Amino acid sequence: NDGLWLLAERALRAALHEFAGDEWSLDEGGGAFYGPKIDCKVEASGRWLQCASVQLDFQMPRRFGLQYVDAGGQRRAPVLIHRAVLGSIERMMAVLAERCQGRWPFWLSPRQVLVVPVHAGDEAQRAAVAEVHAALRGDGFAVELDVSDGDLRYKIKESQRRCFNYVAVVGAREAAAGAVSLRALGEKKSRNMPLAELRAHFAQMASLDN
């Protein structure tokens, strides 16, 4: 009934104020068939797309004849809460793909790092990049190795075009020191980083607590 609907709206407003302050808006006339709801929307390419939803449903518990006994001993119909954190996995991935435009956050990226030697024909460098690749692969990272003949600058350019989060380059100096020259996507400068530090850095980047 209308009174129960208004009661639910007030409860949702109070929850939103407690959780998000004033960072929400009312969608007058939005389609809600079972009861009032909270929709979480994200911006992607200039459009707002709905993802998560929390909706109060007054109809289904009554249709199934569900009841509970309240503190006063009275039988009452419960209110069902529909909670869809991602909406659907397929829709959420589509929204993320459109929003990220291929530049996925490190923890979600299918192309986290590309490892390349400066000179693919140098045995010491090939051994060093193989070690880096094996270590990062063993840590569970999405890492690729490119030891093909080709210009290093072209490989780095391609890694940027393919949206690898990082490219790790190993030359003679890095091979001797057990390190890599690391460049992030979209950056022009590189920084030297020992393998142990690199692994720790990536572990922190991959953490959802980061």
Side-chain angles (χ1 to χ4, degrees), residues 9-25 38:
E9 280 192 353
R10 287 196 293 269
L12 290 180
R13 287 172 186 264
L16 282 170
H17 275 301
E18 181 179 351
F19 178 76
D22 295 326
E23 298 296 321
W24 62 278
S25 61
I38 298 172

mmCIF file with all atom_site columns, all heavy atoms in Angstrom, residues 9-25 38:
data_model
loop_
_atom_site.group_PDB
_atom_site.id
_atom_site.type_symbol
_atom_site.label_atom_id
_atom_site.label_alt_id
_atom_site.label_comp_id
_atom_site.label_asym_id
_atom_site.label_entity_id
_atom_site.label_seq_id
_atom_site.pdbx_PDB_ins_code
_atom_site.Cartn_x
_atom_site.Cartn_y
_atom_site.Cartn_z
_atom_site.occupancy
_atom_site.B_iso_or_equiv
_atom_site.pdbx_formal_charge
_atom_site.auth_seq_id
_atom_site.auth_comp_id
_atom_site.auth_asym_id
_atom_site.auth_atom_id
_atom_site.pdbx_PDB_model_num
ATOM 1   N N   . GLU A 1 9  ? 10.502 4.328  1.376  1.00 0.00 ? 9  GLU A N   1
ATOM 2   C CA  . GLU A 1 9  ? 11.260 5.443  0.802  1.00 0.00 ? 9  GLU A CA  1
ATOM 3   C C   . GLU A 1 9  ? 12.013 6.212  1.872  1.00 0.00 ? 9  GLU A C   1
ATOM 4   O O   . GLU A 1 9  ? 13.176 6.579  1.692  1.00 0.00 ? 9  GLU A O   1
ATOM 5   C CB  . GLU A 1 9  ? 10.317 6.379  0.045  1.00 0.00 ? 9  GLU A CB  1
ATOM 6   C CG  . GLU A 1 9  ? 9.936  5.905  -1.336 1.00 0.00 ? 9  GLU A CG  1
ATOM 7   C CD  . GLU A 1 9  ? 9.238  6.990  -2.135 1.00 0.00 ? 9  GLU A CD  1
ATOM 8   O OE1 . GLU A 1 9  ? 8.929  8.063  -1.561 1.00 0.00 ? 9  GLU A OE1 1
ATOM 9   O OE2 . GLU A 1 9  ? 9.006  6.774  -3.332 1.00 0.00 ? 9  GLU A OE2 1
ATOM 10  N N   . ARG A 1 10 ? 11.346 6.472  2.995  1.00 0.00 ? 10 ARG A N   1
ATOM 11  C CA  . ARG A 1 10 ? 12.006 7.198  4.087  1.00 0.00 ? 10 ARG A CA  1
ATOM 12  C C   . ARG A 1 10 ? 13.184 6.399  4.632  1.00 0.00 ? 10 ARG A C   1
ATOM 13  O O   . ARG A 1 10 ? 14.237 6.967  4.962  1.00 0.00 ? 10 ARG A O   1
ATOM 14  C CB  . ARG A 1 10 ? 10.996 7.510  5.197  1.00 0.00 ? 10 ARG A CB  1
ATOM 15  C CG  . ARG A 1 10 ? 10.004 8.608  4.840  1.00 0.00 ? 10 ARG A CG  1
ATOM 16  C CD  . ARG A 1 10 ? 9.309  9.141  6.079  1.00 0.00 ? 10 ARG A CD  1
ATOM 17  N NE  . ARG A 1 10 ? 8.450  8.133  6.683  1.00 0.00 ? 10 ARG A NE  1
ATOM 18  C CZ  . ARG A 1 10 ? 7.158  7.966  6.391  1.00 0.00 ? 10 ARG A CZ  1
ATOM 19  N NH1 . ARG A 1 10 ? 6.590  8.738  5.480  1.00 0.00 ? 10 ARG A NH1 1
ATOM 20  N NH2 . ARG A 1 10 ? 6.444  7.029  6.982  1.00 0.00 ? 10 ARG A NH2 1
ATOM 21  N N   . ALA A 1 11 ? 13.019 5.082  4.732  1.00 0.00 ? 11 ALA A N   1
ATOM 22  C CA  . ALA A 1 11 ? 14.105 4.235  5.229  1.00 0.00 ? 11 ALA A CA  1
ATOM 23  C C   . ALA A 1 11 ? 15.296 4.272  4.278  1.00 0.00 ? 11 ALA A C   1
ATOM 24  O O   . ALA A 1 11 ? 16.462 4.360  4.713  1.00 0.00 ? 11 ALA A O   1
ATOM 25  C CB  . ALA A 1 11 ? 13.614 2.800  5.415  1.00 0.00 ? 11 ALA A CB  1
ATOM 26  N N   . LEU A 1 12 ? 15.026 4.228  2.969  1.00 0.00 ? 12 LEU A N   1
ATOM 27  C CA  . LEU A 1 12 ? 16.112 4.273  1.992  1.00 0.00 ? 12 LEU A CA  1
ATOM 28  C C   . LEU A 1 12 ? 16.792 5.638  1.988  1.00 0.00 ? 12 LEU A C   1
ATOM 29  O O   . LEU A 1 12 ? 18.015 5.740  1.857  1.00 0.00 ? 12 LEU A O   1
ATOM 30  C CB  . LEU A 1 12 ? 15.583 3.948  0.596  1.00 0.00 ? 12 LEU A CB  1
ATOM 31  C CG  . LEU A 1 12 ? 15.149 2.501  0.355  1.00 0.00 ? 12 LEU A CG  1
ATOM 32  C CD1 . LEU A 1 12 ? 14.657 2.326  -1.067 1.00 0.00 ? 12 LEU A CD1 1
ATOM 33  C CD2 . LEU A 1 12 ? 16.283 1.522  0.643  1.00 0.00 ? 12 LEU A CD2 1
ATOM 34  N N   . ARG A 1 13 ? 16.012 6.708  2.135  1.00 0.00 ? 13 ARG A N   1
ATOM 35  C CA  . ARG A 1 13 ? 16.598 8.045  2.208  1.00 0.00 ? 13 ARG A CA  1
ATOM 36  C C   . ARG A 1 13 ? 17.536 8.156  3.412  1.00 0.00 ? 13 ARG A C   1
ATOM 37  O O   . ARG A 1 13 ? 18.635 8.707  3.320  1.00 0.00 ? 13 ARG A O   1
ATOM 38  C CB  . ARG A 1 13 ? 15.501 9.107  2.325  1.00 0.00 ? 13 ARG A CB  1
ATOM 39  C CG  . ARG A 1 13 ? 14.715 9.362  1.044  1.00 0.00 ? 13 ARG A CG  1
ATOM 40  C CD  . ARG A 1 13 ? 13.537 10.281 1.358  1.00 0.00 ? 13 ARG A CD  1
ATOM 41  N NE  . ARG A 1 13 ? 12.651 10.461 0.232  1.00 0.00 ? 13 ARG A NE  1
ATOM 42  C CZ  . ARG A 1 13 ? 12.689 11.467 -0.617 1.00 0.00 ? 13 ARG A CZ  1
ATOM 43  N NH1 . ARG A 1 13 ? 13.611 12.421 -0.457 1.00 0.00 ? 13 ARG A NH1 1
ATOM 44  N NH2 . ARG A 1 13 ? 11.844 11.563 -1.624 1.00 0.00 ? 13 ARG A NH2 1
ATOM 45  N N   . ALA A 1 14 ? 17.094 7.632  4.549  1.00 0.00 ? 14 ALA A N   1
ATOM 46  C CA  . ALA A 1 14 ? 17.916 7.690  5.761  1.00 0.00 ? 14 ALA A CA  1
ATOM 47  C C   . ALA A 1 14 ? 19.206 6.899  5.580  1.00 0.00 ? 14 ALA A C   1
ATOM 48  O O   . ALA A 1 14 ? 20.283 7.339  5.989  1.00 0.00 ? 14 ALA A O   1
ATOM 49  C CB  . ALA A 1 14 ? 17.125 7.161  6.958  1.00 0.00 ? 14 ALA A CB  1
ATOM 50  N N   . ALA A 1 15 ? 19.103 5.729  4.932  1.00 0.00 ? 15 ALA A N   1
ATOM 51  C CA  . ALA A 1 15 ? 20.294 4.907  4.694  1.00 0.00 ? 15 ALA A CA  1
ATOM 52  C C   . ALA A 1 15 ? 21.267 5.622  3.764  1.00 0.00 ? 15 ALA A C   1
ATOM 53  O O   . ALA A 1 15 ? 22.483 5.608  3.984  1.00 0.00 ? 15 ALA A O   1
ATOM 54  C CB  . ALA A 1 15 ? 19.884 3.559  4.107  1.00 0.00 ? 15 ALA A CB  1
ATOM 55  N N   . LEU A 1 16 ? 20.727 6.262  2.723  1.00 0.00 ? 16 LEU A N   1
ATOM 56  C CA  . LEU A 1 16 ? 21.592 6.985  1.786  1.00 0.00 ? 16 LEU A CA  1
ATOM 57  C C   . LEU A 1 16 ? 22.275 8.171  2.447  1.00 0.00 ? 16 LEU A C   1
ATOM 58  O O   . LEU A 1 16 ? 23.461 8.428  2.226  1.00 0.00 ? 16 LEU A O   1
ATOM 59  C CB  . LEU A 1 16 ? 20.772 7.457  0.581  1.00 0.00 ? 16 LEU A CB  1
ATOM 60  C CG  . LEU A 1 16 ? 20.461 6.395  -0.467 1.00 0.00 ? 16 LEU A CG  1
ATOM 61  C CD1 . LEU A 1 16 ? 19.445 6.916  -1.472 1.00 0.00 ? 16 LEU A CD1 1
ATOM 62  C CD2 . LEU A 1 16 ? 21.731 5.967  -1.184 1.00 0.00 ? 16 LEU A CD2 1
ATOM 63  N N   . HIS A 1 17 ? 21.535 8.907  3.261  1.00 0.00 ? 17 HIS A N   1
ATOM 64  C CA  . HIS A 1 17 ? 22.128 10.050 3.963  1.00 0.00 ? 17 HIS A CA  1
ATOM 65  C C   . HIS A 1 17 ? 23.252 9.587  4.889  1.00 0.00 ? 17 HIS A C   1
ATOM 66  O O   . HIS A 1 17 ? 24.302 10.228 4.980  1.00 0.00 ? 17 HIS A O   1
ATOM 67  C CB  . HIS A 1 17 ? 21.065 10.792 4.765  1.00 0.00 ? 17 HIS A CB  1
ATOM 68  C CG  . HIS A 1 17 ? 20.293 11.800 3.968  1.00 0.00 ? 17 HIS A CG  1
ATOM 69  N ND1 . HIS A 1 17 ? 20.906 12.855 3.317  1.00 0.00 ? 17 HIS A ND1 1
ATOM 70  C CD2 . HIS A 1 17 ? 18.968 11.909 3.689  1.00 0.00 ? 17 HIS A CD2 1
ATOM 71  C CE1 . HIS A 1 17 ? 19.996 13.572 2.691  1.00 0.00 ? 17 HIS A CE1 1
ATOM 72  N NE2 . HIS A 1 17 ? 18.804 13.022 2.886  1.00 0.00 ? 17 HIS A NE2 1
ATOM 73  N N   . GLU A 1 18 ? 23.042 8.459  5.566  1.00 0.00 ? 18 GLU A N   1
ATOM 74  C CA  . GLU A 1 18 ? 24.056 7.951  6.493  1.00 0.00 ? 18 GLU A CA  1
ATOM 75  C C   . GLU A 1 18 ? 25.293 7.470  5.744  1.00 0.00 ? 18 GLU A C   1
ATOM 76  O O   . GLU A 1 18 ? 26.425 7.680  6.178  1.00 0.00 ? 18 GLU A O   1
ATOM 77  C CB  . GLU A 1 18 ? 23.471 6.808  7.322  1.00 0.00 ? 18 GLU A CB  1
ATOM 78  C CG  . GLU A 1 18 ? 24.448 6.221  8.327  1.00 0.00 ? 18 GLU A CG  1
ATOM 79  C CD  . GLU A 1 18 ? 23.839 5.104  9.166  1.00 0.00 ? 18 GLU A CD  1
ATOM 80  O OE1 . GLU A 1 18 ? 22.604 4.908  9.087  1.00 0.00 ? 18 GLU A OE1 1
ATOM 81  O OE2 . GLU A 1 18 ? 24.601 4.428  9.884  1.00 0.00 ? 18 GLU A OE2 1
ATOM 82  N N   . PHE A 1 19 ? 25.076 6.840  4.593  1.00 0.00 ? 19 PHE A N   1
ATOM 83  C CA  . PHE A 1 19 ? 26.184 6.252  3.854  1.00 0.00 ? 19 PHE A CA  1
ATOM 84  C C   . PHE A 1 19 ? 26.890 7.250  2.947  1.00 0.00 ? 19 PHE A C   1
ATOM 85  O O   . PHE A 1 19 ? 28.115 7.276  2.846  1.00 0.00 ? 19 PHE A O   1
ATOM 86  C CB  . PHE A 1 19 ? 25.684 5.066  3.016  1.00 0.00 ? 19 PHE A CB  1
ATOM 87  C CG  . PHE A 1 19 ? 26.743 4.423  2.180  1.00 0.00 ? 19 PHE A CG  1
ATOM 88  C CD1 . PHE A 1 19 ? 27.687 3.576  2.759  1.00 0.00 ? 19 PHE A CD1 1
ATOM 89  C CD2 . PHE A 1 19 ? 26.822 4.657  0.815  1.00 0.00 ? 19 PHE A CD2 1
ATOM 90  C CE1 . PHE A 1 19 ? 28.679 2.982  1.993  1.00 0.00 ? 19 PHE A CE1 1
ATOM 91  C CE2 . PHE A 1 19 ? 27.807 4.069  0.036  1.00 0.00 ? 19 PHE A CE2 1
ATOM 92  C CZ  . PHE A 1 19 ? 28.735 3.233  0.635  1.00 0.00 ? 19 PHE A CZ  1
ATOM 93  N N   . ALA A 1 20 ? 26.110 8.098  2.254  1.00 0.00 ? 20 ALA A N   1
ATOM 94  C CA  . ALA A 1 20 ? 26.675 8.946  1.207  1.00 0.00 ? 20 ALA A CA  1
ATOM 95  C C   . ALA A 1 20 ? 26.461 10.434 1.421  1.00 0.00 ? 20 ALA A C   1
ATOM 96  O O   . ALA A 1 20 ? 26.831 11.235 0.562  1.00 0.00 ? 20 ALA A O   1
ATOM 97  C CB  . ALA A 1 20 ? 26.087 8.537  -0.151 1.00 0.00 ? 20 ALA A CB  1
ATOM 98  N N   . GLY A 1 21 ? 25.885 10.835 2.539  1.00 0.00 ? 21 GLY A N   1
ATOM 99  C CA  . GLY A 1 21 ? 25.651 12.261 2.760  1.00 0.00 ? 21 GLY A CA  1
ATOM 100 C C   . GLY A 1 21 ? 24.695 12.817 1.728  1.00 0.00 ? 21 GLY A C   1
ATOM 101 O O   . GLY A 1 21 ? 23.576 12.326 1.571  1.00 0.00 ? 21 GLY A O   1
ATOM 102 N N   . ASP A 1 22 ? 25.154 13.824 1.009  1.00 0.00 ? 22 ASP A N   1
ATOM 103 C CA  . ASP A 1 22 ? 24.330 14.434 -0.035 1.00 0.00 ? 22 ASP A CA  1
ATOM 104 C C   . ASP A 1 22 ? 24.722 13.979 -1.436 1.00 0.00 ? 22 ASP A C   1
ATOM 105 O O   . ASP A 1 22 ? 24.228 14.529 -2.438 1.00 0.00 ? 22 ASP A O   1
ATOM 106 C CB  . ASP A 1 22 ? 24.432 15.966 0.043  1.00 0.00 ? 22 ASP A CB  1
ATOM 107 C CG  . ASP A 1 22 ? 23.850 16.518 1.340  1.00 0.00 ? 22 ASP A CG  1
ATOM 108 O OD1 . ASP A 1 22 ? 22.874 15.935 1.833  1.00 0.00 ? 22 ASP A OD1 1
ATOM 109 O OD2 . ASP A 1 22 ? 24.376 17.531 1.841  1.00 0.00 ? 22 ASP A OD2 1
ATOM 110 N N   . GLU A 1 23 ? 25.598 12.972 -1.520 1.00 0.00 ? 23 GLU A N   1
ATOM 111 C CA  . GLU A 1 23 ? 26.090 12.526 -2.828 1.00 0.00 ? 23 GLU A CA  1
ATOM 112 C C   . GLU A 1 23 ? 25.145 11.526 -3.478 1.00 0.00 ? 23 GLU A C   1
ATOM 113 O O   . GLU A 1 23 ? 25.527 10.424 -3.861 1.00 0.00 ? 23 GLU A O   1
ATOM 114 C CB  . GLU A 1 23 ? 27.492 11.916 -2.672 1.00 0.00 ? 23 GLU A CB  1
ATOM 115 C CG  . GLU A 1 23 ? 28.549 12.881 -2.167 1.00 0.00 ? 23 GLU A CG  1
ATOM 116 C CD  . GLU A 1 23 ? 28.795 14.009 -3.161 1.00 0.00 ? 23 GLU A CD  1
ATOM 117 O OE1 . GLU A 1 23 ? 28.792 13.742 -4.375 1.00 0.00 ? 23 GLU A OE1 1
ATOM 118 O OE2 . GLU A 1 23 ? 28.961 15.159 -2.714 1.00 0.00 ? 23 GLU A OE2 1
ATOM 119 N N   . TRP A 1 24 ? 23.878 11.900 -3.606 1.00 0.00 ? 24 TRP A N   1
ATOM 120 C CA  . TRP A 1 24 ? 22.912 11.060 -4.305 1.00 0.00 ? 24 TRP A CA  1
ATOM 121 C C   . TRP A 1 24 ? 21.764 11.944 -4.767 1.00 0.00 ? 24 TRP A C   1
ATOM 122 O O   . TRP A 1 24 ? 21.631 13.084 -4.337 1.00 0.00 ? 24 TRP A O   1
ATOM 123 C CB  . TRP A 1 24 ? 22.397 9.930  -3.404 1.00 0.00 ? 24 TRP A CB  1
ATOM 124 C CG  . TRP A 1 24 ? 21.651 10.390 -2.176 1.00 0.00 ? 24 TRP A CG  1
ATOM 125 C CD1 . TRP A 1 24 ? 22.210 10.801 -1.005 1.00 0.00 ? 24 TRP A CD1 1
ATOM 126 C CD2 . TRP A 1 24 ? 20.235 10.525 -2.013 1.00 0.00 ? 24 TRP A CD2 1
ATOM 127 N NE1 . TRP A 1 24 ? 21.236 11.178 -0.113 1.00 0.00 ? 24 TRP A NE1 1
ATOM 128 C CE2 . TRP A 1 24 ? 20.005 11.005 -0.702 1.00 0.00 ? 24 TRP A CE2 1
ATOM 129 C CE3 . TRP A 1 24 ? 19.131 10.271 -2.836 1.00 0.00 ? 24 TRP A CE3 1
ATOM 130 C CZ2 . TRP A 1 24 ? 18.728 11.245 -0.213 1.00 0.00 ? 24 TRP A CZ2 1
ATOM 131 C CZ3 . TRP A 1 24 ? 17.857 10.507 -2.330 1.00 0.00 ? 24 TRP A CZ3 1
ATOM 132 C CH2 . TRP A 1 24 ? 17.671 10.980 -1.049 1.00 0.00 ? 24 TRP A CH2 1
ATOM 133 N N   . SER A 1 25 ? 20.975 11.449 -5.674 1.00 0.00 ? 25 SER A N   1
ATOM 134 C CA  . SER A 1 25 ? 19.856 12.227 -6.203 1.00 0.00 ? 25 SER A CA  1
ATOM 135 C C   . SER A 1 25 ? 18.625 11.348 -6.329 1.00 0.00 ? 25 SER A C   1
ATOM 136 O O   . SER A 1 25 ? 18.725 10.114 -6.398 1.00 0.00 ? 25 SER A O   1
ATOM 137 C CB  . SER A 1 25 ? 20.215 12.836 -7.566 1.00 0.00 ? 25 SER A CB  1
ATOM 138 O OG  . SER A 1 25 ? 20.498 11.816 -8.511 1.00 0.00 ? 25 SER A OG  1
ATOM 139 N N   . ILE A 1 38 ? 17.479 1.598  -4.590 1.00 0.00 ? 38 ILE A N   1
ATOM 140 C CA  . ILE A 1 38 ? 18.690 2.392  -4.743 1.00 0.00 ? 38 ILE A CA  1
ATOM 141 C C   . ILE A 1 38 ? 19.451 1.844  -5.943 1.00 0.00 ? 38 ILE A C   1
ATOM 142 O O   . ILE A 1 38 ? 19.754 0.649  -6.000 1.00 0.00 ? 38 ILE A O   1
ATOM 143 C CB  . ILE A 1 38 ? 19.583 2.312  -3.479 1.00 0.00 ? 38 ILE A CB  1
ATOM 144 C CG1 . ILE A 1 38 ? 18.856 2.887  -2.273 1.00 0.00 ? 38 ILE A CG1 1
ATOM 145 C CG2 . ILE A 1 38 ? 20.901 3.023  -3.716 1.00 0.00 ? 38 ILE A CG2 1
ATOM 146 C CD1 . ILE A 1 38 ? 19.601 2.674  -0.967 1.00 0.00 ? 38 ILE A CD1 1
#
